[in-house]
Amino acid sequence: PATIFFVVYYFALPVLCGYAPELMDKKVLGPVNLAYLFALSQFFMAWGIAWLYVRAARKFDAFGARIMQRLEHEEEGK
């Protein structure tokens, strides 16, 4: 789900710039328009997804370590 969300989010910028240039050209803060903010937000989105992945990977690593300990313990018992 995160991959699909990110791909849609990533391709929304060029699609919106192409099909809704008036919307993306709206000024938000001085010379900064909505397109620039959207592009910048993609960096934060990527960092957020990476953080979620690292958090999930820690659980997978712990699960793998428990499996390895169990296998080593069973091997010692033979």
Side-chain angles (χ1 to χ4, degrees):
T3 303
I4 293 168
F5 174 76
F6 183 76
V7 169
V8 170
Y9 192 79
Y10 180 79
F11 284 110
L13 177 63
V15 169
L16 286 171
C17 285
Y19 289 107
E22 309 84 27
L23 171 68
M24 299 306 279
D25 198 33
K26 291 203 188 243
K27 302 292 183 199
V28 178
L29 185 65
V32 178
N33 61 18
L34 195 57
Y36 283 124
L37 287 180
F38 196 95
L40 183 62
S41 73
Q42 289 183 350
F43 286 100
F44 295 107
M45 182 63 60
W47 291 335
I49 290 173
W51 177 77
L52 290 172
Y53 172 77
V54 167
R55 200 174 84 176
R58 285 189 190 126
K59 294 176 187 173
F60 296 142
D61 289 345
F63 185 65
R66 286 196 310 267
I67 291 172
M68 290 303 295
Q69 285 177 345
R70 179 181 283 168
L71 290 173
E72 290 169 357
H73 182 69
E74 288 177 3
E75 197 172 279
E76 290 173 0
K78 287 185 178 181

